[in-house]
Amino acid sequence: MEIVTYRPIGIIHSPFKETTGVPRQSAGAADIKGTIEVFDKFSEGLKDLNGFSHIVVIFHLHMVTGMFLKACPPWDGKEHGVFATRSPHRPNPIGVSVVRLERVDKNILHISGIDMVDNSPVLDIKPYVPELNPAGNIRIGWLAGRVEGMNKSKSGDL
């Protein structure tokens, strides 16, 4: 199979300069603000984005080192396959976060819900539309009863 490559469309500006202390999920970072700087050559693609309250940000986890096919989340203490977890140590270190879009100033997106490290390359941005995402009969496997712990957890916590 061919190697797939992506070109960043922008960069995240975050208060988190290292991986320790970063909220593990954007839902646990509602009050943490930052920006996404979209590179000039892609800024035309921001037209009409300011009408959305939330966006999906797909980004490269540029500070992640190592890949594991099994992970042991700190709030569970049991080993799971990496594809059944939200561990950053994946074959392709790609992050996906839904964040609040506060406003758009030219090529700068002001966002809250930052669970990203500063200077993370942005691969794509999409509007979040709840009606286009599954809502009923959702099973969350081994995470049942553990989600609240995930929302409050930060990298480096045990």
Side-chain angles (χ1 to χ4, degrees):
M1 179 171 277
E2 291 181 40
I3 293 178
V4 177
T5 57
Y6 292 97
R7 143 181 29 142
I9 62 158
I11 192 163
I12 293 165
H13 298 290
S14 158
F16 304 107
K17 306 304 180 200
E18 55 188 65
T19 58
T20 303
V22 179
R24 285 195 167 106
Q25 308 301 322
S26 59
D31 296 331
I32 301 173
K33 298 184 183 307
T35 60
I36 297 173
E37 176 186 352
V38 175
F39 300 143
D40 287 338
K41 69 191 273 183
F42 301 106
S43 63
E44 189 177 324
L46 298 173
K47 183 180 183 312
D48 300 323
L49 187 64
N50 60 356
F52 293 88
S53 67
H54 290 76
I55 55 174
V56 179
V57 181
I58 301 152
F59 56 101
H60 176 64
L61 301 166
H62 71 292
M63 294 183 84
V64 170
T65 57
M67 178 271 297
F68 306 100
L69 292 179
K70 293 188 180 170
C72 188
W75 51 85
D76 180 53
K78 296 179 185 166
E79 193 173 74
H80 302 277
V82 72
F83 302 126
T85 74
R86 295 177 66 108
S87 170
H89 299 279
R90 322 179 70 73
N92 292 303
I94 296 171
V96 178
S97 294
V98 176
V99 298
R100 174 174 286 284
L101 179 61
E102 304 290 345
R103 70 183 188 280
V104 179
D105 290 329
K106 298 181 183 174
N107 67 321
I108 305 295
L109 308 181
H110 296 264
I111 60 173
S112 58
I114 291 276
D115 64 344
M116 309 143 179
V117 176
D118 193 49
N119 293 318
S120 294
V122 177
L123 303 176
D124 201 2
I125 298 166
K126 298 174 184 263
Y128 177 74
V129 183
E131 293 82 4
L132 301 181
N133 292 284
N137 298 320
I138 303 291
R139 297 179 320 196
I140 60 170
W142 69 269
L143 284 168
R146 294 178 174 90
V147 173
E148 186 172 330
M150 289 178 63
N151 285 345
K152 296 176 182 173
S153 179
K154 292 181 174 39
S155 62
D157 290 352
L158 295 178

